[in-house]
């Protein structure tokens, strides 16, 4: 199994509060991704990174920011959480980009009340 | 724009039956990649297969097989002699372009239930 961990695994927070989710990999893969999974929508890409300090937006990036200061860590921040951001968040890694297989972390279930 | 359609929201079959999960895609690129991922009840996502647009050869891996047809823009997944452990949500996905920064999109998934 690819070495990917996500923290926290579960979080309940209130509307308007900032939240940061962390993805940590031990595979030294260049590419890292954040997705959200919602019923009826499959997985939707939020942001991705193609190297340290190199990030780009995905399909549903509004309300989210990311940072990658080290190869192994990719942080997803909700600056001011809203109820529409209640979701399961998955981190993924890939050695060669989105045209190649991705390996996923265990997910973080976030509830915004 | 890219699009992936998994029209079957849920499928339920009895163990040992064969089952096919449909995936239809839309893309304007001539170079693209198709994937299937499995999400068992435990929640993790597992990579199953990757296929590029220049390789229409069907693939078989044990009880799993994939039928890629560019003429119908489909990349269907068949499980032969299904087992309870095959119960999961299966996602088809598409990425396009040469760039390693190309975007990937997933279908909405098909929930497969295998009844004993």
């Amino acid at each position: 199994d690819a070495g990917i961990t996500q923290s926290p695994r579960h979080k309940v927070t209130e509307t308007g509060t900032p939240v940061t989710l962390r993805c940590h990999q031990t595979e030294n893969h260049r590419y890292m991704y954040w997705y959200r999974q919602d019923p009826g929508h499959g997985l939707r890409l939020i942001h991705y990174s193609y190297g340290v300090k190199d990030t780009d937006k995905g399909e549903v990036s509004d309300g989210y920011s990311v940072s990658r200061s080290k190869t192994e860590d990719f942080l997803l921040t909700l600056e001011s959480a809203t109820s529409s951001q209640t979701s399961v968040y998955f981190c993924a890694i890939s050695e060669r980009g989105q045209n190649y297989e991705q390996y996923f972390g265990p997910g973080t279930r976030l509830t915004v009340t | 724009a890219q699009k992936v359609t998994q029209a079957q929201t849920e499928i339920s079959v009895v163990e040992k039956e064969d089952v096919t999960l449909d995936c239809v895609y839309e893309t304007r690129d001539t170079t693209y990649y198709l994937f299937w991922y499995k999400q068992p009840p435990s929640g993790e996502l597992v990579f199953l297969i990757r296929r590029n647009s220049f390789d229409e050869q069907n693939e078989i891996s044990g009880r799993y097989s994939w039928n890629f047809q560019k003429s119908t823009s489909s990349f269907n997944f068949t499980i032969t002699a299904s087992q309870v452990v095959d119960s999961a949500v299966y996602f088809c996905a598409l990425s396009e372009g040469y760039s390693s920064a190309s975007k990937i999109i997933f279908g909405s998934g098909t929930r497969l239930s295998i009844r004993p």
Side-chain angles (χ1 to χ4, degrees):
Chain A
D1 289 345
I4 312 168
T5 56
Q6 293 184 230
S7 59
R9 295 292 314 280
H10 302 270
K11 186 168 182 70
V12 179
T13 191
E14 293 185 350
T15 298
T17 58
V19 176
T20 294
L21 308 183
R22 179 180 182 240
C23 177
H24 178 78
Q25 61 146 330
T26 58
E27 305 297 318
N28 202 36
H29 283 356
R30 178 181 172 190
Y31 300 88
M32 298 185 75
Y33 311 89
W34 277 108
Y35 294 90
R36 59 178 290 173
Q37 183 177 22
D38 304 290
H41 289 279
L43 285 100
R44 291 181 292 175
L45 182 65
I46 303 171
H47 282 280
Y48 66 97
S49 170
Y50 47 97
V52 174
K53 292 187 170 42
D54 292 322
T55 64
D56 202 355
K57 297 178 180 180
E59 183 185 354
V60 290
S61 58
D62 288 348
Y64 302 95
S65 62
V66 291
S67 65
R68 191 165 177 206
S69 59
K70 299 185 289 186
T71 298
E72 57 265 36
D73 290 326
F74 192 32
L75 304 181
L76 176 71
T77 298
L78 291 66
E79 302 290 348
S80 177
T82 67
S83 58
S84 64
Q85 294 176 312
T86 293
S87 187
V88 179
Y89 291 85
F90 285 97
C91 173
I93 65 173
S94 174
E95 199 166 3
R96 293 187 285 175
Q98 295 204 54
N99 290 341
Y100 297 86
E101 56 269 30
Q102 297 183 32
Y103 299 96
F104 285 80
T108 294
R109 183 173 295 276
L110 176 67
T111 303
V112 183
T113 61
Chain B
Q2 336 164 233
K3 187 176 179 183
V4 175
T5 301
Q6 294 181 257
Q8 303 152 308
T9 307
E10 294 192 31
I11 301 175
S12 180
V13 301
V14 176
E15 199 172 20
K16 298 197 177 88
E17 285 186 14
D18 298 348
V19 58
T20 295
L21 309 183
D22 297 334
C23 174
V24 174
Y25 62 91
E26 293 177 30
T27 178
R28 286 182 285 204
D29 274 15
T30 56
T31 301
Y32 53 90
Y33 301 82
L34 296 161
F35 304 83
W36 278 94
Y37 286 87
K38 174 182 180 180
Q39 186 176 40
S42 52
E44 77 276 17
L45 283 131
V46 178
F47 165 77
L48 294 178
I49 190 171
R50 167 183 178 266
R51 174 66 77 222
N52 74 55
S53 53
F54 300 109
D55 182 3
E56 280 195 80
Q57 225 175 358
N58 291 332
E59 177 141 349
I60 298 174
S61 176
R63 296 183 296 105
Y64 293 175
S65 62
W66 290 269
N67 182 3
F68 176 29
Q69 290 198 331
K70 289 174 78 168
S71 59
T72 56
S73 297
S74 64
F75 186 43
N76 296 338
F77 173 31
T78 297
I79 302 174
T80 302
S82 60
Q83 299 177 3
V84 173
V85 292
D86 295 326
S87 296
V89 180
Y90 291 87
F91 293 97
C92 181
L94 164 72
S95 68
E96 57 187 18
Y98 288 101
S99 169
S100 59
S102 59
K103 305 285 175 68
I104 187 169
I105 63 163
F106 284 76
S108 55
T110 296
R111 182 177 299 277
L112 177 63
S113 299
I114 310 297
R115 308 190 305 274

